[in-house]
Amino acid sequence: MSSRREFLKVASLGAAAVLMPRISQAKKAADKPNIIFIMSDDHTSQAIGAYGSRLAKLNPTPVIDTLAKEGMLFENAFCTNSICTPSRACIITGQYSNVNGVLDLGGNIEPEKQHLAIEMRKAGYTTAMVGKWHLKREPNFDYYKVLPGQGKYYDPTFREKAEGKTFGKNTVKMKGHSSDCITDITLNWFKTIRDKSKPFFLMHHYKAPHDMFGNAERYDKYLEDVDIPEPKNLWKQPKFGSIATRGHNDELLPYIGTSIGRRNLRRNYTKSWAKDKSLSDEAAKRLAYNVYLKKYLRCVKGVDDNLKRLFAYLRKEGLMDNTVIIYTGDQGFMLGEHDYMDKRWMYDESQRMPFLIRYPKTIKPGSRSDAIVENVDYGPTMLDFAGVKTPGYMQGGSFKSICETGKEPTGWKQAAYYRYWMHMAHHDNPSHFGIRTKKHKLIFYYGCSPKGSGQTPPGWELYDLVKDPTEVNNVYDDPKNAKLVADLKGQLAALRKKYGDTDEAFPEMKKVVDEFWDYGPAARKRAIEISHQMLERKKKGASSRRKKGKKTKKK
Ligand code: CA
């Protein structure tokens, strides 16, 4: 008997030994927080009340602001390449553009490289991706319902994960505004599709407020009678920019950087919304600015109201406080600052991403951080919340401890690296790279395509962000700053080396970068020549377009 008892005891211990890891794994997974990563397209920090910009008095985002009130706001979160597909690629891979390969809008991320989603699944999460995706290949999530490409604002089509249907053939049409549809899809996933035995990782992405702006009808009158506050540098900024952005003696102002006012001849918002030629330049700019901001803020309002619905559901289901909720935009956006529209620039309004995070179990309500964090760090941070160590192939790092303590760990990055590759595409922005610390920003416009073509005048800009937070005074040439410039250039070169962004694959471009790095007298003289040549090209182009136009009219 006793031997039998012994046997049973050993057997049950053995079974427990086998069962225990399984039980503790399941328990571990159940202890993990859920994670919702909410991202809108082009929603910039100036258009979020909690960031306290000139637009805060319009109260554009009361719901999003609650995440700041009940969680943490990051003042210095930056994207590494301010445009849609590249920023999304940085987030899903945890890698800089030169490593994940998505330099521009043409790039994509194959399913096996969608690391964040893959690692979350490995950690026991059920994963879902809803809304704007823009990484072209099939999302590697347990569930997805995504817009194809940019998607449509009204009655959008989605691609939904379905057995036996290949990506691209799995389309589903919906009725209504995209922000409403995307929220409906997510709520439906919560209610009927989600595997409730696992913690969830949800990426919930709005298309709004990307241009061409389209709000739901119920916002048509929102802000109708309001005069939208203007940034000072919409009007006057004589010391802003460089030969790279203005040309020699301002000769390229009509050609670089699309504008609100009539400045950019090819593309500006008066062409859409202040066409009346009898309006003065000032009146046309003011009108175009107001239309622009109202269209944009109406889309923002639709996002904010939809989040109210989502948060109400989470509260009702008891999911609000055991879920890490992040709100961000895929980059910033110029809302008339420097008379610019769109993003792409390294100026703060475009480089900065809003980043709010709420998780009351470990994050103090109403806290703020000025730590420098980049979009490549978002993946590692979310994985850290999920109990996963940052995989070696990710270049970003986790800032979970900053969220929880407000303190930067020893060795945490003190500078953000930035690079924009799409030389003079769509919005006439010259290619550039640079470094941003808490106090300074150094930008190098090398001004050519990866193949070295389309050269615009190379130039450097330095801004003192403490004295000049709106970046209107380029102090690169002030002799007092020579040492600072040399130091920042050293840091910039070191970052480029560290992140592997040293252009060996693009010898023609590398030659330009090397030639204009020191920016001595010969380089400056050459930049002036390039400016004149570009002006000639532009004038010739305009006159041949005029001739063509006349011919077409005669026909
Ligand atoms: Ca975007």
Side-chain angles (χ1 to χ4, degrees), residues 397-416:
S398 166
F399 54 93
K400 175 170 172 273
S401 72
I402 302 177
C403 299
E404 295 177 336
T405 65
K407 289 194 189 101
E408 295 176 37
T410 317
W412 184 253
K413 65 180 78 174
Q414 294 302 305

Side-chain angles (χ1 to χ4, degrees), residues 121-323:
R121 189 186 296 131
K122 278 204 287 198
Y125 279 69
T126 184
T127 59
M129 165 66 225
V130 173
K132 183 163 171 187
W133 168 239
H134 219 194
L135 292 172
K136 313 211 176 52
R137 300 297 183 256
E138 183 165 28
N140 191 348
F141 288 72
D142 298 325
Y143 175 78
Y144 65 78
K145 192 162 180 176
V146 297
L147 293 167
Q150 294 283 6
K152 290 192 298 180
Y153 266 116
Y154 304 104
D155 298 341
T157 298
F158 289 86
R159 292 173 174 172
E160 183 173 27
K161 187 159 186 170
E163 284 297 324
K165 284 208 177 165
T166 51
F167 191 56
K169 304 251 170 176
N170 50 347
T171 54
V172 184
K173 278 195 174 237
M174 285 182 80
K175 285 267 172 216
H177 187 271
S178 80
S179 298
D180 300 339
C181 293
I182 288 164
T183 311
D184 288 344
I185 295 168
T186 284
L187 291 174
N188 183 54
W189 173 77
F190 268 116
K191 289 171 192 167
T192 65
I193 300 168
R194 170 172 73 102
D195 176 353
K196 291 182 183 167
S197 70
K198 293 177 178 176
F200 61 81
F201 170 59
L202 164 69
M203 297 185 93
H204 174 81
H205 294 182
Y206 291 107
K207 167 188 171 60
H210 192 283
D211 74 6
M212 312 303 286
F213 316 107
N215 57 265
E217 206 184 323
R218 61 185 181 274
Y219 303 112
D220 282 352
K221 303 238 154 137
Y222 173 62
L223 299 173
E224 190 180 35
D225 300 321
V226 176
D227 199 19
I228 308 289
E230 295 164 351
K232 262 195 201 146
N233 56 14
L234 171 66
W235 298 102
K236 238 183 123 186
Q237 41 173 2
K239 291 180 177 170
F240 165 70
S242 61
I243 188 170
T245 53
R246 308 173 69 121
H248 181 60
N249 291 334
D250 288 351
E251 66 189 358
L252 298 178
L253 278 178
Y255 308 106
I256 296 178
T258 51
S259 56
I260 314 302
R262 289 171 176 152
R263 178 183 52 77
N264 187 302
L265 298 177
R266 188 185 68 82
R267 188 166 181 184
N268 69 62
Y269 272 150
T270 71
K271 287 192 171 192
S272 317
W273 302 317
K275 288 181 190 167
D276 183 349
K277 293 268 180 346
S278 71
L279 290 172
S280 69
D281 285 351
E282 187 185 327
K285 189 195 257 190
R286 181 157 285 136
L287 175 59
Y289 170 80
N290 264 277
V291 178
Y292 175 26
L293 269 281
K294 285 177 191 182
K295 281 179 176 287
Y296 181 87
L297 292 170
R298 283 169 189 155
C299 290
V300 167
K301 189 74 180 152
V303 168
D304 199 66
D305 281 345
N306 269 296
L307 288 179
K308 193 175 185 178
R309 281 207 292 148
L310 176 59
F311 295 166
Y313 175 81
L314 294 176
R315 274 206 181 85
K316 192 174 83 152
E317 296 298 313
L319 291 169
M320 194 71 184
D321 291 346
N322 56 8
T323 301

